[in-house]
Amino acid sequence: MAEPRLQPELARQLFFEGAAVLALGVPEGTEFGIDCSSWAVGPKFRGVKMVPPGLHFVHCSAARARGGRETGPRTGLFLALRPRELRVLRWDAGAEALEPAAEAEASRESLAAMDPFLGPYPYETLRRWVSLSGFISEAAAEALQPESGRVCAFAEVLPAEPAPLGSDRAAAGAECRSYAEGLARLPRMAPRAATRIRFSELPARTYPAGASPQEITRHSMDLSYALEQLMARRYPGRPLELLAELQFAFVCFLIGNVYDAFEHWKQLLNILCRAEEAMGKYQELYTNLISVLYHQLNEIPADFFVDIVSQDNFLTSTLQVFFSCTCSAAVDGALRKKAEKFKAHLTKKFKWDFEAEPDDCAPVLVELPEGVQVD
């Protein structure tokens, strides 16, 4: 299907009502992008005009050598833009990233002189961006993004504990007798708080305190309790906002190259897809989840993402359980029908087999809390 072309009438509307993002001081050769598109910056580049109002992700990767194709780690900013708004960003050479500039109050009249140096927003990819970010509100982006406001492919890390002193330092410098000992001596590092994406803390256990062995087994197979705990902590009464977090994690991985975001996306998706009882309770959440996953999986690049997703068959096994759960009598007929269509689409496009016996049908070994015994 061909991407939509920007019609003249819409082009005129965006020219007058669209926002503009000035990106000043960006070195030539830097990879600059907004949402689903990116380009190598030329000598005259000063930013993007005719940007549709709404949430956008501006990202860049510094060039490692003039004229070369190699670029550094990607960094990005989520920007919520109003109609006719002018947002000014300036290149920080030390951080190799774009930062909000002090001259953010520049008048739109100054854009006339800048116009020859501004590229038009890539409208042909707008539909893809909206399908990947439709649930992410300005408030959700503000709550999830790092305190620094900058999403980095590699978060800054700091030692998690003080360096050894005196005799401890001498012992640490002694020759290692094994690889395991060498690993044990490496300092523990933790992400600097200001650079860490503020995802929800996922439940450490899937069952309530004091649960019987039978209840532990049930809650380990049906993760509805874990899902309820997650929503109660972060999104009480607002289940659809969980989809904003799922989309935020996917965008940060797919476009921002943040691998930790992919890991969070997997864990969040695992809880959602294995919560059978919740599917009957949150029909709207799960109907929209299928739409979100449909667009996300359509964005899987053939080069690197498929290899990552294929590890341990995570995606196929998780979705296999999901489709099995949607067959429950408690699930609304419309949701069940949409799940069947989605399953058929994935089977045809990716040749995934959802008919084999799920791993969940095998005996489940559950680690019991200390002090609990089975008679």
Side-chain angles (χ1 to χ4, degrees):
M1 179 177 174
E3 295 287 358
R5 295 178 59 85
L6 184 59
Q7 300 299 319
E9 182 178 348
L10 180 57
R12 284 193 295 270
Q13 180 181 351
L14 287 176
F15 180 79
F16 291 107
E17 299 298 327
V21 178
L22 300 187
L24 307 179
V26 180
E28 186 176 353
T30 300
E31 182 183 334
F32 172 90
I34 182 169
D35 302 337
C36 297
S37 299
S38 61
W39 315 266
V41 167
K44 297 182 178 180
F45 176 79
R46 297 294 183 275
V48 182
K49 62 183 177 180
M50 302 166 62
V51 183
L55 187 74
H56 297 279
F57 185 56
V58 174
H59 46 93
C60 58
S61 303
R64 282 289 172 252
R66 183 176 293 276
R69 295 183 178 180
E70 184 179 352
T71 58
R74 182 165 290 181
T75 61
L77 298 166
F78 281 91
L79 302 178
L81 302 174
R82 308 292 192 274
R84 297 178 58 81
E85 182 177 1
L86 173 61
R87 193 71 65 91
V88 183
L89 307 175
R90 185 172 291 280
W91 182 258
D92 182 332
E96 293 188 334
L98 285 166
E99 299 286 356
E103 59 265 38
E105 298 300 323
S107 65
R108 284 193 61 93
E109 286 72 18
S110 64
L111 281 179
M114 282 280 194
D115 190 71
F117 309 105
L118 302 178
Y121 179 86
Y123 177 78
E124 64 276 7
T125 62
L126 177 60
R127 181 179 296 175
R128 288 173 56 203
W129 169 247
V130 172
S131 70
L132 291 176
S133 63
F135 283 94
I136 310 175
S137 64
E138 179 180 355
E142 181 68 26
L144 288 164
Q145 69 183 358
E147 293 176 5
S148 66
R150 184 199 305 163
V151 175
C152 304
F154 300 101
E156 298 178 32
V157 294
L158 298 171
E161 54 194 20
L165 298 175
S167 59
D168 292 335
R169 178 177 295 179
E175 183 178 351
C176 294
R177 289 169 292 185
S178 67
Y179 178 72
E181 183 181 345
L183 288 179
R185 288 190 192 178
L186 290 175
R188 289 196 309 109
M189 308 297 286
R192 189 164 70 86
T195 66
R196 181 178 56 84
I197 299 175
R198 293 174 288 180
F199 289 129
S200 296
E201 182 178 351
L202 302 182
R205 65 183 184 192
T206 62
Y207 50 85
S212 67
Q214 293 81 4
E215 290 171 331
I216 293 173
T217 300
R218 178 168 62 86
H219 289 303
S220 297
M221 297 181 67
D222 181 350
L223 302 185
S224 296
Y225 174 80
L227 179 61
E228 292 281 9
Q229 291 297 106
L230 171 60
M231 292 193 294
R233 292 176 191 169
R234 185 88 182 244
Y235 307 114
R238 310 186 307 276
L240 290 183
E241 292 190 21
L242 199 59
L243 298 181
E245 184 166 340
L246 192 71
Q247 286 190 328
F248 192 93
F250 190 83
V251 166
C252 286
F253 170 68
L254 183 72
I255 303 177
N257 297 343
V258 182
Y259 184 76
D260 286 347
F262 172 68
E263 287 298 315
H264 186 77
W265 178 82
K266 284 203 312 182
Q267 295 170 24
L268 202 56
L269 186 60
N270 182 63
I271 293 176
L272 282 164
C273 287
R274 296 176 185 270
E276 181 174 1
E277 184 178 334
M279 292 180 195
K281 182 178 180 181
Y282 300 104
Q283 308 265 5
E284 184 182 10
L285 169 65
Y286 280 93
T287 298
N288 284 286
L289 173 63
I290 293 176
S291 298
V292 167
L293 287 177
Y294 172 83
H295 293 295
Q296 289 182 341
L297 299 188
N298 278 342
E299 293 293 327
I300 294 180
D303 48 5
F304 65 96
F305 196 35
V306 168
D307 292 336
I308 295 174
V309 169
S310 297
Q311 290 178 10
D312 302 321
N313 295 318
F314 158 76
L315 200 51
T316 51
S317 62
T318 301
L319 290 175
Q320 189 175 37
V321 174
F322 173 67
F323 292 134
S324 176
C325 291
T326 56
C327 293
S328 168
V331 172
D332 178 74
L335 173 57
R336 186 161 54 246
K337 185 176 181 180
K338 187 169 185 177
E340 290 171 355
K341 288 184 177 180
F342 184 44
K343 176 181 174 182
H345 165 75
L346 295 178
T347 301
K348 181 179 180 181
K349 180 171 182 176
F350 297 107
K351 305 298 186 290
W352 289 340
D353 181 14
F354 297 110
E355 302 305 325
E357 182 179 274
D359 293 338
D360 299 67
C361 292
V364 178
L365 298 179
V366 178
E367 183 178 349
L368 300 180
E370 186 176 352
V372 176
Q373 297 181 349
V374 180
D375 296 330

